[in-house]
Amino acid sequence: MAGTTRITPAGTRAAKPRLAHRRDRAVNTLAALLLIGGGATAVFAGPAEAGPDRSDPGPSYPAGAAVTTFTGRAFDTCETPSLTAMDAWQDSPYRGVAVYLSGRNRLCPEQPNLTPSWVHSTTAAGWHLIPIDVGLQAPCRDNRRKKPMHAKHAAAEGIAAAAGAASAARAVGMLPGSALYADIESYDPSVPGCGRTVAQYLSGWTQELHRRGYLAGMYGTGRSGLGDAAARYAEVDLTRPDAVWLARWDRARSLSAWPGIPDSTWAHHQRMKQYRGDHIERHGGVALNVDSNQVDAPVATVARSYPITAAGTMAHRAPDTAATRVATLETGATANVVCQVRATGRPTWDKLSDGTYLDDTRVAGGSTKVLPECSYASPVAAGTGAVTRSGPGLGYGTGDTLPLGALARVTCRDLAQSWVRLDHGWVAAADLAGGGPGGAATPFCPPATTKP
């Protein structure tokens, strides 16, 4: 990982960058050799033990939640950059930035720039945020300075870490539906019981985030954390994370063909790769010490603010003019928009952070609004996968098959709640954890779309 943040105006000589154990990420000599030299093929110890706990119904989303997925390049650095630096880096190839949100083992724990205002401003400027929790580490961790998990209490420690991360996310404006990533540093997978402890921690982490309406991710190396999680992928006694972030500093940005990590695992917009470690980059006259990442995965969900342009704008309980009216907004009022409900031949609706919906034509921004489609990720629980269909029933044509553990991006559910519509088809609700996304967020599909 990169060292402390360096901001250097053009023409100013910078001090030599300090390499720091921010999240180990195989910064020590042994792990670096494994990452760069092709030794990241997973070494698995003990039986496969981690996977989707059948008692975990998947995320339960409150009314104002939504999932945001980002595809592109992202950087991370120890201290959250200033807004000035983020503005300068608009000239960079990056559109995502990872931030150290929480955790007992953060090297840069203060994070003075990571405020609600910073989160709102960077998101409004088009940045996608990737929140990281650097919590307790494996008992057999390579960096012995980091505080460890305890075998007897690992699940409870994971739950506590998730509760802290979710609270920290809420405090800075990262809404439910956001993915929060647990940083699991390199460890020795040959130590008996060590991988099991990490699996229990991650299971607690994932289940608690699901309970709070967040998605759970993890960062790790193919040699240890992520390799172990892949080996345990199909087991049922623990809950697997929803998305993964591989550390492999080989400068290859591919999100497939990872050694020891089958392409059938975390297969549907659920992967990131840190392909280059500590290095200095300069964009817009500002230099930062960063790591580089390729992303196709869920990230933070943040509301964007727009003014109301029409007097007497009605907020509805669902994206339908016939739905219950719950408030009236006047011209100039602020609408905190999370996502949009879009359908061919139907009006576009803006979903607000309180879970209500507005007619998009009454919200300023027009074509300049860059908002995700409202969706609610739910993991595939059927061992044979979930077959997509062109409509809500077995009589419709089949499409692709989402494998076990893939995140189905649900946009609505049919009135009978037996089928859910995705961004690219329909699947049986029974094939998803808990019968599809839980909570109050997921709307019913318009009646016309649920008829053969």
Side-chain angles (χ1 to χ4, degrees), residues 65-310:
V67 171
T68 302
T69 299
F70 167 61
T71 301
R73 293 169 67 179
F75 72 91
D76 61 86
T77 188
C78 190
E79 293 177 359
T80 302
S82 67
L83 288 175
T84 299
M86 295 301 297
D87 184 59
W89 273 50
Q90 290 282 8
D91 290 339
S92 75
Y94 304 105
R95 286 299 173 264
V97 56
V99 293
Y100 289 84
L101 176 71
S102 55
R104 295 180 60 184
N105 281 313
R106 283 188 304 173
L107 186 69
C108 298
E110 299 303 322
Q111 302 294 343
N113 291 326
L114 187 52
T115 64
S117 177
W118 186 93
V119 167
H120 182 272
S121 296
T122 52
T123 302
W127 290 96
H128 296 270
L129 310 183
I130 305 167
I132 306 166
D133 179 87
V134 190
L136 299 176
Q137 299 300 310
C140 56
R141 63 209 179 280
D142 291 341
N143 185 341
R144 306 300 293 182
R145 293 176 298 175
K146 302 254 177 135
K147 297 180 177 64
M149 308 163 189
H150 299 87
K152 292 184 179 180
H153 310 292
E157 289 170 336
I159 290 171
S167 295
R170 276 277 199 176
V172 295
M174 297 178 185
L175 302 175
S178 297
L180 311 182
Y181 288 82
D183 186 326
I184 303 298
E185 301 292 343
S186 179
Y187 60 85
D188 183 353
S190 68
V191 175
C194 189
R196 170 71 177 178
T197 297
V198 174
Q200 291 176 321
Y201 178 92
L202 286 171
S203 182
W205 162 264
T206 302
Q207 291 186 23
E208 181 63 14
L209 286 181
H210 284 179
R211 191 182 72 81
R212 292 170 178 263
Y214 288 83
L215 293 176
M218 69 164 289
Y219 167 95
T221 70
R223 166 184 173 259
S224 55
L226 184 50
D228 276 352
R232 296 175 165 91
Y233 188 87
E235 297 299 324
V236 297
D237 64 331
L238 300 172
T239 305
R240 77 165 69 84
D242 302 302
V244 293
W245 187 352
L246 173 68
R248 183 175 171 82
W249 296 352
D250 56 5
R251 301 202 181 191
R253 302 209 307 263
S254 176
L255 298 179
S256 62
W258 292 348
I261 317 294
D263 287 346
S264 59
T265 61
W266 299 288
H268 193 62
H269 307 291
Q270 295 166 269
R271 291 188 173 203
M272 297 191 287
K273 182 182 179 183
Q274 187 184 71
Y275 60 86
R276 187 180 180 188
D278 296 280
H279 66 284
I280 304 300
E281 287 193 33
R282 182 186 296 274
H283 300 285
V286 172
L288 298 176
N289 187 4
V290 302
D291 301 323
S292 298
N293 307 273
Q294 186 67 34
V295 182
D296 183 16
V299 295
T301 295
V302 179
R304 302 188 187 193
S305 299
Y306 301 95
I308 298 297
T309 58

